[in-house]
Amino acid sequence: MLAVQPVHAAPRAAGAAKARQAHALSFGPTTGCERLPGYDPLWASHDDDFGFLQVGTKPPPGQAEKGEEDDPIFLSGFYQMQTHGNTLYAAFGGASTRGVTPGALVVLNARTLAFQKIISLPFASHAMALDREGRRAVVTHTRVNAFSLVDLATGQSTCRKPDTAIRGDAYQGRYVQMDEQGFFYINYNSFSARVPKGYVMKYTPRGDHAAGFAVRATERADLVIPLLYRQGALLTGTHAVRAVNSQTGAVSRLSPVFGSTNFYNYASGPGNQLLASNYSAAARPNLAQVDLATGARNDLFTGSGTVEVAYGAAGGQVFSTNYDSHTLTVAALPEKGTLSPERFVNIRFQDSPSNLHVRQTAQGTDIYVTTKVWGPDNARRGGLLHKVHLDAAVKGIEGIRKPGACSIITFNMVDRAVSPPVACDLLDPKATLKAEYRLLRDVSLPELEKNRREGLVLQKQARSDLKAALARAKKHPGKASSRAVAEARSQLANASAWIIELRHQIPEARTSLKVLKRMAEE
């Protein structure tokens, strides 16, 4: 039961991996954000009204993006977080409508989650990075592919739009990391490229493309999500761990290619260990421990839909947010040990844990968790941020069940109130298996099948729209017609990619259901 996967031997040591040689790409200058779709010139004058009362209603005429006119207004909520001293900074996105504050950095007391202030931003905010002194932040706006440079002392920000087009394809940024000198790095993926690849781009502290850094493809894959700055390199890769030299942009491979993995997030572990979340179907390992010196890998299954991973050295613990399972994993990882199927517990949440940040103090370990909920509860629960506190006496998972050893407080952005602490709702490995089986049987698999039916309808409509756009372009050639054709092609590519992905996921989910039923002894 829950057997750890065998360690995979590396064909060669990390130092022997050859750097890729490729023609360097060039980019235009970084510009302002004023011409981006959805930009509101009055974004800073809405008195921190994030549109909570409008969530769930239909957008007013003319305010929705094309193709989203009938979609109810939703709240983006909290995304990535960082701490400096006793201050917690959290990226936040408001309601998906105009006339409200679009996004912000929300500043909280890191110990109590008491509200301190809001730094408004012109778009919904997602990933973020702080400089070492805690004076400056970079916050990404994924949807419009821009970022804001924020002075944390004054609250002043500058939104900038970089040129990230590669061979005519649009690339969107995901995570951001910052080095010791204040240069920052963003990883990019395309949803419309015929041959999708991942890229990492380097920016100066002012937000311009850094000279001398050659942007090269890191990996050929639909989505190359991970990004971690570590010892002068950016670690990335979905099917293999790859290093991008932070000075030159040269790419090298540090591990074997793991064909079955879908790495989503990285964290530094003990010594030369790298920890990775593996966003995969149920009953497949969701946590990986990779030795960067040898490429050896050790896997563990604790939940499904794992997004982010973190490591707490003081307690010897690995943490992961398991979106589909509604759980936060706490797994023991001694300094010179490995992940083990008997040494983890899950903390159960009502909603889906997504982003994760860890800080350690003399009082113990604080794990900050954002949760996501869509649909009817988005208005009421879409702005929650949680702090899980583990007492300093908890080592690995030893002592975690003692009274007061594991507790949770929750900040609600709607009323800026903090809940009283409650005890963690803990699941052991056996209870985890039973919960995973029932979740996949009753929720996840039916949802995948529903998504496939809806995807086929969208694909059919996208084909029809492209046909109409091509006909109009033939009759009325020009820039407007070309843009309409390009947008229609993009919509068809997105719908088709979704269908292809679901055709892989549904059979995997059915197989996983059989495996989980056997493992859970249901």
Side-chain angles (χ1 to χ4, degrees), residues 276-277 286-287 302-303 306-310 318-323 327-331 346-347 353-354 356 367 369:
S277 63
N286 61 301
L287 289 175
T302 68
T306 300
V307 181
E308 294 193 344
V309 62
V318 177
F319 307 98
S320 71
T321 49
N322 310 316
Y323 189 96
T327 59
L328 170 74
T329 291
V330 182
N346 276 321
I347 301 171
S354 179
L356 174 66
I367 309 107
V369 179

PDB file of all heavy atoms in Angstrom, residues 276-277 286-287 302-303 306-310 318-323 327-331 346-347 353-354 356 367 369:
ATOM      1  N   ALA A 276       9.590  18.504  -5.836  1.00  0.00           N
ATOM      2  CA  ALA A 276       8.729  18.896  -6.942  1.00  0.00           C
ATOM      3  C   ALA A 276       7.317  18.410  -6.696  1.00  0.00           C
ATOM      4  O   ALA A 276       7.104  17.291  -6.214  1.00  0.00           O
ATOM      5  CB  ALA A 276       9.248  18.331  -8.263  1.00  0.00           C
ATOM      6  N   SER A 277       6.352  19.262  -7.026  1.00  0.00           N
ATOM      7  CA  SER A 277       4.959  18.810  -7.059  1.00  0.00           C
ATOM      8  C   SER A 277       4.692  18.241  -8.443  1.00  0.00           C
ATOM      9  O   SER A 277       5.195  18.741  -9.443  1.00  0.00           O
ATOM     10  CB  SER A 277       4.006  19.968  -6.766  1.00  0.00           C
ATOM     11  OG  SER A 277       4.110  20.972  -7.765  1.00  0.00           O
ATOM     12  N   ASN A 286       2.352  12.329  -6.359  1.00  0.00           N
ATOM     13  CA  ASN A 286       2.209  13.776  -6.513  1.00  0.00           C
ATOM     14  C   ASN A 286       3.392  14.555  -5.953  1.00  0.00           C
ATOM     15  O   ASN A 286       3.500  15.759  -6.165  1.00  0.00           O
ATOM     16  CB  ASN A 286       0.923  14.256  -5.844  1.00  0.00           C
ATOM     17  CG  ASN A 286       0.902  13.972  -4.350  1.00  0.00           C
ATOM     18  OD1 ASN A 286       0.996  12.818  -3.937  1.00  0.00           O
ATOM     19  ND2 ASN A 286       0.770  14.997  -3.536  1.00  0.00           N
ATOM     20  N   LEU A 287       4.287  13.877  -5.244  1.00  0.00           N
ATOM     21  CA  LEU A 287       5.490  14.515  -4.715  1.00  0.00           C
ATOM     22  C   LEU A 287       6.718  13.754  -5.202  1.00  0.00           C
ATOM     23  O   LEU A 287       6.734  12.519  -5.199  1.00  0.00           O
ATOM     24  CB  LEU A 287       5.482  14.527  -3.185  1.00  0.00           C
ATOM     25  CG  LEU A 287       4.470  15.468  -2.515  1.00  0.00           C
ATOM     26  CD1 LEU A 287       4.499  15.280  -1.011  1.00  0.00           C
ATOM     27  CD2 LEU A 287       4.771  16.916  -2.876  1.00  0.00           C
ATOM     28  N   THR A 302       0.275  11.425  -1.965  1.00  0.00           N
ATOM     29  CA  THR A 302      -0.471  11.912  -0.798  1.00  0.00           C
ATOM     30  C   THR A 302      -1.780  12.585  -1.186  1.00  0.00           C
ATOM     31  O   THR A 302      -2.602  12.874  -0.319  1.00  0.00           O
ATOM     32  CB  THR A 302       0.355  12.932   0.015  1.00  0.00           C
ATOM     33  OG1 THR A 302       0.520  14.135  -0.759  1.00  0.00           O
ATOM     34  CG2 THR A 302       1.723  12.365   0.378  1.00  0.00           C
ATOM     35  N   GLY A 303      -1.959  12.884  -2.487  1.00  0.00           N
ATOM     36  CA  GLY A 303      -3.172  13.582  -2.897  1.00  0.00           C
ATOM     37  C   GLY A 303      -3.164  13.842  -4.388  1.00  0.00           C
ATOM     38  O   GLY A 303      -2.226  13.460  -5.092  1.00  0.00           O
ATOM     39  N   THR A 306      -1.882  18.302  -7.244  1.00  0.00           N
ATOM     40  CA  THR A 306      -0.959  19.048  -6.398  1.00  0.00           C
ATOM     41  C   THR A 306      -0.379  20.242  -7.144  1.00  0.00           C
ATOM     42  O   THR A 306       0.133  20.105  -8.257  1.00  0.00           O
ATOM     43  CB  THR A 306       0.160  18.130  -5.888  1.00  0.00           C
ATOM     44  OG1 THR A 306      -0.445  17.069  -5.132  1.00  0.00           O
ATOM     45  CG2 THR A 306       1.132  18.875  -4.998  1.00  0.00           C
ATOM     46  N   VAL A 307      -0.455  21.410  -6.526  1.00  0.00           N
ATOM     47  CA  VAL A 307      -0.035  22.653  -7.168  1.00  0.00           C
ATOM     48  C   VAL A 307       1.354  23.061  -6.692  1.00  0.00           C
ATOM     49  O   VAL A 307       2.323  23.042  -7.445  1.00  0.00           O
ATOM     50  CB  VAL A 307      -1.055  23.779  -6.918  1.00  0.00           C
ATOM     51  CG1 VAL A 307      -0.622  25.072  -7.615  1.00  0.00           C
ATOM     52  CG2 VAL A 307      -2.439  23.363  -7.414  1.00  0.00           C
ATOM     53  N   GLU A 308       1.488  23.438  -5.431  1.00  0.00           N
ATOM     54  CA  GLU A 308       2.773  23.967  -4.961  1.00  0.00           C
ATOM     55  C   GLU A 308       3.346  23.111  -3.846  1.00  0.00           C
ATOM     56  O   GLU A 308       2.637  22.361  -3.168  1.00  0.00           O
ATOM     57  CB  GLU A 308       2.623  25.425  -4.516  1.00  0.00           C
ATOM     58  CG  GLU A 308       2.285  26.342  -5.686  1.00  0.00           C
ATOM     59  CD  GLU A 308       2.419  27.821  -5.384  1.00  0.00           C
ATOM     60  OE1 GLU A 308       2.485  28.205  -4.190  1.00  0.00           O
ATOM     61  OE2 GLU A 308       2.460  28.604  -6.344  1.00  0.00           O
ATOM     62  N   VAL A 309       4.662  23.251  -3.663  1.00  0.00           N
ATOM     63  CA  VAL A 309       5.398  22.461  -2.686  1.00  0.00           C
ATOM     64  C   VAL A 309       6.349  23.384  -1.939  1.00  0.00           C
ATOM     65  O   VAL A 309       6.817  24.393  -2.496  1.00  0.00           O
ATOM     66  CB  VAL A 309       6.169  21.309  -3.388  1.00  0.00           C
ATOM     67  CG1 VAL A 309       7.199  21.855  -4.356  1.00  0.00           C
ATOM     68  CG2 VAL A 309       6.810  20.364  -2.393  1.00  0.00           C
ATOM     69  N   ALA A 310       6.624  23.067  -0.680  1.00  0.00           N
ATOM     70  CA  ALA A 310       7.549  23.863   0.126  1.00  0.00           C
ATOM     71  C   ALA A 310       8.239  22.951   1.123  1.00  0.00           C
ATOM     72  O   ALA A 310       7.781  21.829   1.387  1.00  0.00           O
ATOM     73  CB  ALA A 310       6.819  24.992   0.840  1.00  0.00           C
ATOM     74  N   VAL A 318       7.948  18.448   4.475  1.00  0.00           N
ATOM     75  CA  VAL A 318       7.564  18.858   3.130  1.00  0.00           C
ATOM     76  C   VAL A 318       6.074  19.159   3.151  1.00  0.00           C
ATOM     77  O   VAL A 318       5.289  18.413   3.739  1.00  0.00           O
ATOM     78  CB  VAL A 318       7.864  17.754   2.096  1.00  0.00           C
ATOM     79  CG1 VAL A 318       7.387  18.172   0.705  1.00  0.00           C
ATOM     80  CG2 VAL A 318       9.352  17.456   2.061  1.00  0.00           C
ATOM     81  N   PHE A 319       5.686  20.251   2.499  1.00  0.00           N
ATOM     82  CA  PHE A 319       4.293  20.652   2.439  1.00  0.00           C
ATOM     83  C   PHE A 319       3.856  20.723   0.979  1.00  0.00           C
ATOM     84  O   PHE A 319       4.632  21.116   0.109  1.00  0.00           O
ATOM     85  CB  PHE A 319       4.095  22.020   3.089  1.00  0.00           C
ATOM     86  CG  PHE A 319       4.647  22.113   4.482  1.00  0.00           C
ATOM     87  CD1 PHE A 319       5.895  22.673   4.712  1.00  0.00           C
ATOM     88  CD2 PHE A 319       3.923  21.638   5.565  1.00  0.00           C
ATOM     89  CE1 PHE A 319       6.421  22.750   5.983  1.00  0.00           C
ATOM     90  CE2 PHE A 319       4.438  21.703   6.854  1.00  0.00           C
ATOM     91  CZ  PHE A 319       5.697  22.273   7.063  1.00  0.00           C
ATOM     92  N   SER A 320       2.615  20.354   0.714  1.00  0.00           N
ATOM     93  CA  SER A 320       2.086  20.499  -0.645  1.00  0.00           C
ATOM     94  C   SER A 320       0.608  20.812  -0.592  1.00  0.00           C
ATOM     95  O   SER A 320      -0.118  20.325   0.286  1.00  0.00           O
ATOM     96  CB  SER A 320       2.323  19.225  -1.477  1.00  0.00           C
ATOM     97  OG  SER A 320       1.499  18.160  -1.030  1.00  0.00           O
ATOM     98  N   THR A 321       0.162  21.645  -1.546  1.00  0.00           N
ATOM     99  CA  THR A 321      -1.261  21.962  -1.671  1.00  0.00           C
ATOM    100  C   THR A 321      -1.871  21.047  -2.720  1.00  0.00           C
ATOM    101  O   THR A 321      -1.471  21.069  -3.880  1.00  0.00           O
ATOM    102  CB  THR A 321      -1.459  23.431  -2.066  1.00  0.00           C
ATOM    103  OG1 THR A 321      -0.606  23.751  -3.177  1.00  0.00           O
ATOM    104  CG2 THR A 321      -1.132  24.356  -0.913  1.00  0.00           C
ATOM    105  N   ASN A 322      -2.825  20.246  -2.319  1.00  0.00           N
ATOM    106  CA  ASN A 322      -3.461  19.262  -3.198  1.00  0.00           C
ATOM    107  C   ASN A 322      -4.847  19.772  -3.579  1.00  0.00           C
ATOM    108  O   ASN A 322      -5.827  19.571  -2.851  1.00  0.00           O
ATOM    109  CB  ASN A 322      -3.549  17.914  -2.492  1.00  0.00           C
ATOM    110  CG  ASN A 322      -2.198  17.501  -1.904  1.00  0.00           C
ATOM    111  OD1 ASN A 322      -1.161  17.632  -2.555  1.00  0.00           O
ATOM    112  ND2 ASN A 322      -2.202  17.026  -0.672  1.00  0.00           N
ATOM    113  N   TYR A 323      -4.913  20.444  -4.720  1.00  0.00           N
ATOM    114  CA  TYR A 323      -6.098  21.188  -5.134  1.00  0.00           C
ATOM    115  C   TYR A 323      -7.328  20.296  -5.246  1.00  0.00           C
ATOM    116  O   TYR A 323      -8.388  20.604  -4.699  1.00  0.00           O
ATOM    117  CB  TYR A 323      -5.793  21.862  -6.475  1.00  0.00           C
ATOM    118  CG  TYR A 323      -6.821  22.849  -6.955  1.00  0.00           C
ATOM    119  CD1 TYR A 323      -6.667  24.210  -6.708  1.00  0.00           C
ATOM    120  CD2 TYR A 323      -7.943  22.436  -7.666  1.00  0.00           C
ATOM    121  CE1 TYR A 323      -7.605  25.131  -7.149  1.00  0.00           C
ATOM    122  CE2 TYR A 323      -8.882  23.346  -8.109  1.00  0.00           C
ATOM    123  CZ  TYR A 323      -8.715  24.698  -7.849  1.00  0.00           C
ATOM    124  OH  TYR A 323      -9.659  25.594  -8.289  1.00  0.00           O
ATOM    125  N   THR A 327      -6.734  19.188   0.308  1.00  0.00           N
ATOM    126  CA  THR A 327      -5.868  18.907   1.447  1.00  0.00           C
ATOM    127  C   THR A 327      -4.522  19.620   1.327  1.00  0.00           C
ATOM    128  O   THR A 327      -4.074  19.978   0.239  1.00  0.00           O
ATOM    129  CB  THR A 327      -5.582  17.398   1.603  1.00  0.00           C
ATOM    130  OG1 THR A 327      -4.956  16.905   0.401  1.00  0.00           O
ATOM    131  CG2 THR A 327      -6.853  16.619   1.883  1.00  0.00           C
ATOM    132  N   LEU A 328      -3.888  19.804   2.482  1.00  0.00           N
ATOM    133  CA  LEU A 328      -2.501  20.244   2.595  1.00  0.00           C
ATOM    134  C   LEU A 328      -1.711  19.093   3.200  1.00  0.00           C
ATOM    135  O   LEU A 328      -2.048  18.618   4.291  1.00  0.00           O
ATOM    136  CB  LEU A 328      -2.395  21.481   3.487  1.00  0.00           C
ATOM    137  CG  LEU A 328      -0.972  21.907   3.896  1.00  0.00           C
ATOM    138  CD1 LEU A 328      -0.238  22.544   2.715  1.00  0.00           C
ATOM    139  CD2 LEU A 328      -1.007  22.874   5.084  1.00  0.00           C
ATOM    140  N   THR A 329      -0.694  18.639   2.497  1.00  0.00           N
ATOM    141  CA  THR A 329       0.127  17.532   3.003  1.00  0.00           C
ATOM    142  C   THR A 329       1.234  18.045   3.907  1.00  0.00           C
ATOM    143  O   THR A 329       1.886  19.055   3.606  1.00  0.00           O
ATOM    144  CB  THR A 329       0.758  16.751   1.842  1.00  0.00           C
ATOM    145  OG1 THR A 329      -0.267  16.036   1.138  1.00  0.00           O
ATOM    146  CG2 THR A 329       1.798  15.746   2.326  1.00  0.00           C
ATOM    147  N   VAL A 330       1.447  17.335   5.015  1.00  0.00           N
ATOM    148  CA  VAL A 330       2.631  17.508   5.857  1.00  0.00           C
ATOM    149  C   VAL A 330       3.350  16.157   5.857  1.00  0.00           C
ATOM    150  O   VAL A 330       2.834  15.184   6.407  1.00  0.00           O
ATOM    151  CB  VAL A 330       2.272  17.908   7.296  1.00  0.00           C
ATOM    152  CG1 VAL A 330       3.545  18.123   8.119  1.00  0.00           C
ATOM    153  CG2 VAL A 330       1.400  19.153   7.318  1.00  0.00           C
ATOM    154  N   ALA A 331       4.506  16.093   5.195  1.00  0.00           N
ATOM    155  CA  ALA A 331       5.257  14.833   5.084  1.00  0.00           C
ATOM    156  C   ALA A 331       6.613  14.992   5.760  1.00  0.00           C
ATOM    157  O   ALA A 331       7.278  16.025   5.607  1.00  0.00           O
ATOM    158  CB  ALA A 331       5.451  14.454   3.616  1.00  0.00           C
ATOM    159  N   ASN A 346      -2.504  14.493   6.143  1.00  0.00           N
ATOM    160  CA  ASN A 346      -3.134  15.546   5.349  1.00  0.00           C
ATOM    161  C   ASN A 346      -4.033  16.383   6.239  1.00  0.00           C
ATOM    162  O   ASN A 346      -4.736  15.852   7.108  1.00  0.00           O
ATOM    163  CB  ASN A 346      -3.954  14.954   4.198  1.00  0.00           C
ATOM    164  CG  ASN A 346      -3.092  14.646   2.991  1.00  0.00           C
ATOM    165  OD1 ASN A 346      -2.178  15.404   2.664  1.00  0.00           O
ATOM    166  ND2 ASN A 346      -3.369  13.546   2.319  1.00  0.00           N
ATOM    167  N   ILE A 347      -3.998  17.685   6.016  1.00  0.00           N
ATOM    168  CA  ILE A 347      -4.902  18.607   6.696  1.00  0.00           C
ATOM    169  C   ILE A 347      -6.029  18.928   5.717  1.00  0.00           C
ATOM    170  O   ILE A 347      -5.776  19.397   4.607  1.00  0.00           O
ATOM    171  CB  ILE A 347      -4.174  19.884   7.124  1.00  0.00           C
ATOM    172  CG1 ILE A 347      -3.013  19.531   8.067  1.00  0.00           C
ATOM    173  CG2 ILE A 347      -5.138  20.858   7.788  1.00  0.00           C
ATOM    174  CD1 ILE A 347      -2.101  20.700   8.383  1.00  0.00           C
ATOM    175  N   PRO A 353      -6.968  23.977  -1.781  1.00  0.00           N
ATOM    176  CA  PRO A 353      -5.701  24.674  -1.533  1.00  0.00           C
ATOM    177  C   PRO A 353      -4.917  24.863  -2.829  1.00  0.00           C
ATOM    178  O   PRO A 353      -4.852  23.970  -3.670  1.00  0.00           O
ATOM    179  CB  PRO A 353      -4.957  23.740  -0.572  1.00  0.00           C
ATOM    180  CG  PRO A 353      -6.033  22.929   0.077  1.00  0.00           C
ATOM    181  CD  PRO A 353      -7.065  22.738  -1.003  1.00  0.00           C
ATOM    182  N   SER A 354      -4.330  26.039  -2.976  1.00  0.00           N
ATOM    183  CA  SER A 354      -3.631  26.356  -4.218  1.00  0.00           C
ATOM    184  C   SER A 354      -2.203  26.822  -3.965  1.00  0.00           C
ATOM    185  O   SER A 354      -1.253  26.089  -4.182  1.00  0.00           O
ATOM    186  CB  SER A 354      -4.425  27.416  -4.998  1.00  0.00           C
ATOM    187  OG  SER A 354      -3.763  27.758  -6.194  1.00  0.00           O
ATOM    188  N   LEU A 356       1.103  28.487  -1.698  1.00  0.00           N
ATOM    189  CA  LEU A 356       1.719  28.011  -0.465  1.00  0.00           C
ATOM    190  C   LEU A 356       2.965  28.829  -0.164  1.00  0.00           C
ATOM    191  O   LEU A 356       3.754  29.134  -1.069  1.00  0.00           O
ATOM    192  CB  LEU A 356       2.084  26.534  -0.658  1.00  0.00           C
ATOM    193  CG  LEU A 356       2.872  25.782   0.406  1.00  0.00           C
ATOM    194  CD1 LEU A 356       2.033  25.648   1.668  1.00  0.00           C
ATOM    195  CD2 LEU A 356       3.228  24.390  -0.116  1.00  0.00           C
ATOM    196  N   ILE A 367       2.485  27.986   7.863  1.00  0.00           N
ATOM    197  CA  ILE A 367       2.245  27.631   6.467  1.00  0.00           C
ATOM    198  C   ILE A 367       1.053  28.451   5.991  1.00  0.00           C
ATOM    199  O   ILE A 367      -0.081  28.280   6.471  1.00  0.00           O
ATOM    200  CB  ILE A 367       1.940  26.126   6.304  1.00  0.00           C
ATOM    201  CG1 ILE A 367       3.011  25.279   7.008  1.00  0.00           C
ATOM    202  CG2 ILE A 367       1.872  25.742   4.842  1.00  0.00           C
ATOM    203  CD1 ILE A 367       2.527  24.635   8.281  1.00  0.00           C
ATOM    204  N   VAL A 369      -1.635  29.443   3.234  1.00  0.00           N
ATOM    205  CA  VAL A 369      -2.314  28.691   2.183  1.00  0.00           C
ATOM    206  C   VAL A 369      -3.449  29.532   1.614  1.00  0.00           C
ATOM    207  O   VAL A 369      -4.272  30.065   2.370  1.00  0.00           O
ATOM    208  CB  VAL A 369      -2.883  27.362   2.727  1.00  0.00           C
ATOM    209  CG1 VAL A 369      -3.618  26.596   1.633  1.00  0.00           C
ATOM    210  CG2 VAL A 369      -1.771  26.504   3.320  1.00  0.00           C
TER     211      VAL A 369
END
